[in-house]
Amino acid sequence: MCGIIGRVGEGNALETLITGLENLEYRGYDSAGVAVKNGTGINVEKRSGKVSELKRSITDEPLQGAIGIGHTRWSTHGPPTDENAHPHTDHTEDVAVVHNGIIENYTELKSELAESGHEFSSDTDTEVIPHLIQHHLDCGLDNESAFRRAVDELEGSYAVAAMIADERVLYAARRGSPLVVGMEDDEYFLASDVPAFLEYTDTVVYLEDGDVAIVDETGVEFTDLEGNPVERHPETIEWDPEQAGKGEYEHFMLKEIHEQPTALAQAIEGRIEPELGRIDLTDFEPGTFDDVDCVQFVACGTSYHAALYGSVLLNQAGVRSRALLANEYSISAPPVDENTLVVAVTQSGETADTLSALREASDAGAQTVTVTNVVGSTAAREADETLLIRAGPEIGVAATKTFSSQAVMLVLLGQRIAQDVRGETGADPEALLSDLETMPDRVEEVLATTTAEELAATYEGSRAYFFIGRGLGFPVALEGALKFKEITYEHAEGFASGELKHGPLALVTPDTPVFAVFTGEEDEKTLKNAAEAQTRGAPVIAICPPDHQAALVADAHLEIPDVDSDLAGLLANVQLQLLAYYAADRLDRAIDKPRNLAKSVTVE
């Protein structure tokens, strides 16, 4: 959610900080600010609204200094106002802090600090941190000790970066919220996410829970909260900085939809041998899952729909499987033991609810795997094993290429699990992998021939939009509806096809287009369900191959190539992504940064 950027080096830090904030806009925010240390103290400038408004406010009097911190805030405690924007300072303005997460004991800390004379100017939980640091400075502690003592008193989740007026040092700590250090010669960065500084360096160190980083012009020291040294090794990020730009596209979302052929090619590269019907997943050799009795997938949002896709495949292969919403896992999770495999699906690897479910499953003795896009993310470090989807950076809030890549990875993982558990996969592996190998080309075909833009115009202004599917078409219908509502702000719902007659048909009118996904699984039943809506006046749009019976009877048609039924839904999904995009574009929505939403949900 919120974004952090920090920089230490020669020259002025302001341009780097602003660039970092602009690079973090995709995470979602409602205010922004920077703090820069000059020769005499700390200068802070912050505003509710966009980073562009912050830039305009400092154009006439640029902030000078070689060290600074910046932040984009997503409101939790207190509304989006100038006062509640980060960075926050203490009453002396000698300590400045930016923070992601939630301080659960801030009310008690604020009360204690107020009793000792501290005055607060915001509604945020974050403001207690600089006051707490200053309190310990007033008690005689040195800067580093005051920071450590303050952080030690915090309860909840946090990624914190702080600077103190009398030295050129950044202090940082994390627990439950991501924080990464970037290094390039004599310049050092702190950020909540790599894209913040990717154009400056590709050498990073991911902080782990309980880590403290002390950053100055000479380097970075990594310790635990008590000051004991910890080893944290640099990694090289493979992303090209240009991947984080829009290029020729008007929106990141459209760019990322069109990047799906490349993302899928990267996902399967070196992992399949179609001519042998063989899957080669590093760290998942044959026999890895011999002891597994059942599989639980945990995820949220789009990742949950990918998890549901994987769960359907496993059940069809004869392996007991369930997809569970991670945010409900602590309430409704089925029993877990050492023969349970829990697969956490998370694009960022930092989704708070998914991490909580992963930890709960691990504590109960389950085997754990995470399917993620981010090397070094918390999920990747905490799960027993990791399956990277290799989709590259995704900036648009509405996930597109990561859904496709997650689903493809779950197809492969499901094949491996089924082979280990049952000795067979229930599918023709050579045919499936052959079709999988051609998926990048099939997606290119969809992108080149789509009529989604015309259909978006045809059905603009409808009262509601329904999406239906059966089997593997059901999670695709859910995902299609989610994409549509996310970026158009129009009412959209996804249903299992057979559920239409159990209530939703009451809402069907001629002003309610129904988008029906046909994957080759019991298509006759889905067609019958769509016909029930059609007879009540609803226009039906079939997403299916050109020679499919549904294309002949539907009111309109979004065409997909004819492929293995395990993969057809992923091609239908591309058409639904395009439909949502063009519908939102016609409505002039903020497609890459839809209202009230954030890319990475790092608080529960």
Side-chain angles (χ1 to χ4, degrees):
M1 299 179 95
C2 307
I4 286 175
I5 180 67
R7 184 264 189 186
V8 178
E10 296 298 324
N12 194 15
L14 182 62
E15 181 179 349
T16 303
L17 296 176
I18 293 295
T19 298
L21 295 183
E22 290 174 329
N23 291 344
L24 290 170
E25 286 188 290
Y26 73 95
R27 292 174 67 93
Y29 71 105
D30 48 44
S31 59
V34 293
V36 174
K37 183 186 179 306
N38 59 24
T40 59
I42 295 174
N43 288 344
V44 176
E45 192 71 35
K46 55 186 183 176
R47 291 284 185 278
S48 62
K50 300 298 182 183
V51 173
S52 57
E53 297 173 45
L54 174 68
K55 286 176 68 174
R56 283 194 293 272
S57 73
I58 57 180
T59 299
D60 296 335
E61 298 182 25
L63 307 182
Q64 298 294 325
I67 175 174
I69 52 179
H71 192 266
T72 52
R73 176 179 184 250
W74 176 274
S75 298
T76 50
H77 292 89
T81 63
D82 291 355
E83 293 78 14
N84 288 335
H86 297 212
H88 286 286
T89 63
D90 70 305
H91 59 285
T92 68
E93 298 188 349
D94 286 338
V95 179
V97 166
V98 291
H99 159 244
N100 289 353
I102 295 177
I103 305 304
E104 295 173 356
N105 62 333
Y106 89 99
T107 302
E108 299 93 316
L109 292 172
K110 186 174 183 178
S111 177
E112 292 170 6
L113 289 164
E115 287 179 7
S116 63
H118 288 258
E119 297 181 2
F120 293 82
S121 58
S122 80
D123 305 311
T124 70
D125 55 341
T126 301
E127 194 184 359
V128 303
I129 304 175
H131 283 272
L132 201 54
I133 295 171
Q134 185 60 55
H135 169 75
H136 292 305
L137 291 171
D138 292 341
C139 291
L141 295 183
D142 60 68
N143 291 353
E144 182 180 331
S145 298
F147 176 79
R148 292 183 187 278
R149 181 72 63 84
V151 169
D152 189 46
E153 294 179 34
L154 303 179
E155 296 176 7
S157 64
Y158 55 76
V160 177
M163 60 183 186
I164 302 172
D166 62 359
E167 62 179 347
R168 294 161 62 93
V169 178
L170 289 184
Y171 296 97
R174 73 154 282 177
R175 183 171 69 195
S177 287
L179 201 58
V180 60
V181 174
M183 299 176 285
E184 181 68 22
D185 297 329
D186 57 354
E187 192 170 21
Y188 301 90
F189 308 89
L190 284 168
S192 49
D193 204 355
V194 170
F197 54 67
L198 187 57
E199 60 209 81
Y200 301 107
T201 182
D202 60 0
T203 304
V204 306
V205 175
Y206 292 95
L207 270 64
E208 298 188 12
D209 276 359
D211 282 0
V212 172
I214 303 169
V215 189
D216 62 21
E217 293 162 330
T218 66
V220 187
E221 178 186 359
F222 299 99
T223 72
D224 61 19
L225 199 54
E226 287 71 43
N228 303 308
V230 295
E231 286 192 27
R232 296 290 177 258
H233 301 290
E235 302 178 31
T236 300
I237 297 297
E238 301 297 332
W239 296 349
D240 184 331
E242 291 188 7
Q243 288 182 279
K246 284 188 285 192
E248 65 188 57
Y249 296 94
E250 186 175 354
H251 297 96
F252 282 111
M253 182 180 178
L254 186 60
K255 173 177 178 278
E256 288 155 4
I257 290 172
H258 281 262
E259 286 177 342
Q260 285 176 110
T262 300
L264 291 175
Q266 291 170 173
I268 63 176
E269 183 180 4
R271 288 168 162 169
I272 62 172
E273 297 180 70
E275 64 281 359
L276 301 176
R278 188 163 67 194
I279 294 169
D280 183 12
L281 297 179
T282 305
D283 298 326
F284 300 99
E285 295 298 322
T288 299
F289 304 111
D290 280 352
D291 297 330
V292 169
D293 288 338
C294 66
V295 180
Q296 297 174 9
F297 294 91
V298 292
C300 300
T302 287
S303 293
Y304 170 73
H305 298 152
L308 189 58
Y309 200 95
S311 179
V312 171
L313 281 172
L314 268 183
N315 283 318
Q316 290 177 346
V319 179
R320 287 191 299 132
S321 174
R322 287 186 64 181
L324 300 148
L325 288 166
N327 37 48
E328 291 289 308
Y329 193 77
S330 62
I331 301 169
S332 59
V336 168
D337 59 26
E338 66 274 9
N339 298 120
T340 306
L341 175 66
V342 174
V343 181
V345 187
T346 162
Q347 184 278 135
S348 66
E350 304 292 349
T351 308
D353 295 312
T354 305
L355 289 174
S356 177
L358 178 67
R359 290 163 182 156
E360 185 170 333
S362 183
D363 289 344
Q367 303 176 52
T368 59
V369 171
T370 189
V371 177
T372 186
N373 194 36
V374 182
V375 178
S377 62
T378 302
R381 294 196 305 272
E382 294 191 6
D384 296 331
E385 300 291 348
T386 299
L387 185 56
L388 292 170
I389 67 172
R390 304 174 181 169
E394 185 176 69
I395 306 303
V397 168
T400 51
K401 64 178 179 176
T402 52
F403 172 81
S404 298
S405 297
Q406 284 173 338
V408 163
M409 284 301 93
L410 291 176
V411 170
L412 296 182
L413 183 62
Q415 291 280 300
R416 163 60 62 239
I417 294 170
Q419 186 66 50
D420 287 351
V421 174
R422 292 182 51 81
E424 60 177 352
T425 64
D428 180 345
E430 291 185 26
L432 173 63
L433 298 185
S434 178
D435 272 352
L436 188 56
E437 187 177 38
T438 68
M439 278 294 284
D441 292 335
R442 302 295 179 88
V443 174
E444 285 277 17
E445 184 180 339
V446 170
L447 294 171
T449 62
T450 183
T451 57
E453 187 170 7
E454 291 88 337
L455 280 178
T458 298
Y459 296 108
E460 183 179 5
S462 296
R463 177 173 294 183
Y465 301 81
F466 287 175
F467 298 77
I468 63 171
R470 186 178 297 268
L472 290 169
F474 174 44
V476 172
L478 293 177
E479 176 62 12
L482 177 61
K483 284 294 152 288
F484 203 92
K485 72 180 74 173
E486 274 184 309
I487 62 171
T488 68
Y489 313 154
E490 299 295 306
H491 181 71
E493 293 294 338
F495 305 102
S497 300
E499 282 296 296
L500 266 182
K501 57 182 172 291
H502 293 285
L505 271 179
L507 300 176
V508 165
T509 71
D511 205 22
T512 314
V514 175
F515 295 85
V517 178
F518 294 89
T519 65
E521 293 180 306
E522 298 189 348
D523 282 355
E524 300 83 2
K525 291 183 179 180
T526 298
L527 185 57
K528 180 180 177 182
N529 300 140
E532 291 171 338
Q534 196 175 38
T535 59
R536 288 156 178 82
V540 169
I541 302 89
I543 303 96
C544 61
D547 57 353
H548 196 285
Q549 181 184 0
L552 304 176
V553 299
D555 298 281
H557 177 213
L558 285 170
E559 184 176 313
I560 60 173
D562 194 0
V563 296
D564 185 285
S565 62
D566 286 353
L567 303 174
L570 302 184
L571 297 174
N573 177 66
V574 176
Q575 289 282 24
L576 296 181
Q577 291 172 349
L578 291 163
L579 175 76
Y581 173 80
Y582 288 118
D585 193 43
R586 292 186 64 83
L587 294 168
D588 198 28
R589 304 302 194 208
I591 291 174
D592 289 330
K593 292 172 279 188
R595 68 187 183 199
N596 304 331
L597 299 178
K599 181 67 176 173
S600 181
V601 183
T602 56
V603 294
E604 293 186 68

